[in-house]
Amino acid sequence: MSDDDARLDEVAADLLALPPAHFTAARNERAAEIGGGVGRRIAKLRKPTVAAWAVNLLVRDGQLGEAVELSRALHEAQDDRDAAELARLGRQRRQLVAALARRAGELASDAGTPLSAAMADAVEKSVNAAIVDETAAAAILTGRLVAAIDLAALEGDALGQAVAGSLPDALPTPPPRDDLAARRA
């Protein structure tokens, strides 16, 4: 990744955490302040949907880490063909998605932009996408969404279009876990 790409990603993450009503003015100000090629790229950043902004707030709040961890556990259970564990993790996933959507609603309300029912549903779909699909999780965890992610409607470069700036290849690899040691503890 070039320095210009890294700078764009950094500025985009900051701008996309602002309430959508403040985005355009702040984007134009930052573009003029930075200038040059990066400034022109900043000026082209799209305003986020309210749902995408709320998901970005969850990322900045550190709330999606548990969802990604659950994703890894689900994939392990699928690989092991462990039906009981899959059922347990499925219930946990539904509860976590609902809790994270509520948290996003709280964060959005606290920032002065409450979520409508449709926006809350879009947040749930994005959180679910982060749990189910590692590529979607990597995109969401950038904190640079401009559009909510619905895996059912994902076609072509839709994921790339939903993220401002560069699109990561994959999730960062976590340190190896010792599940047996964790259960013993």
Side-chain angles (χ1 to χ4, degrees):
M1 174 184 306
S2 74
D3 289 343
D4 286 353
D5 289 342
R7 179 76 172 137
L8 175 67
D9 289 354
E10 176 187 328
V11 171
D14 289 342
L15 290 171
L16 292 166
L18 297 173
H22 301 122
F23 175 81
T24 303
R27 177 200 62 200
N28 294 344
E29 184 178 309
R30 290 297 298 273
E33 172 188 314
I34 292 172
V38 175
R40 284 189 294 279
R41 291 172 67 193
I42 290 169
K44 292 179 184 177
L45 291 174
R46 290 185 5 230
K47 178 179 175 179
T49 64
V50 173
W53 166 72
V55 173
N56 292 337
L57 292 180
L58 275 177
V59 171
R60 290 179 79 88
D61 196 44
Q63 296 294 312
L64 286 179
E66 187 178 344
V68 173
E69 188 62 31
L70 177 60
S71 170
R72 290 188 175 108
L74 277 165
H75 288 297
E76 278 182 30
Q78 283 175 330
D79 291 345
D80 295 343
R81 293 181 175 85
D82 186 341
E85 184 68 358
L86 277 171
R88 185 187 72 75
L89 292 171
R91 284 188 302 278
Q92 186 178 348
R93 179 186 59 121
R94 286 185 294 281
Q95 291 169 350
L96 181 60
V97 167
L100 288 171
R102 279 191 304 277
R103 177 65 180 147
E106 292 167 5
L107 292 168
S109 288
D110 291 349
T113 307
L115 298 180
S116 68
M119 291 297 106
D121 183 55
V123 168
E124 278 194 25
K125 287 178 180 173
S126 294
V127 171
N128 194 54
I131 294 172
V132 174
D133 185 273
E134 283 192 8
T135 305
I140 291 165
L141 288 173
T142 64
R144 293 183 273 114
L145 287 186
V146 293
I149 295 177
D150 180 355
L151 289 179
L154 218 53
E155 295 178 0
D157 187 35
L159 194 56
Q161 297 298 313
V163 178
S166 64
L167 191 60
D169 294 329
L171 284 171
T173 305
R177 288 181 11 177
D178 185 353
D179 288 339
L180 185 57
R183 283 190 289 237
R184 284 184 187 142

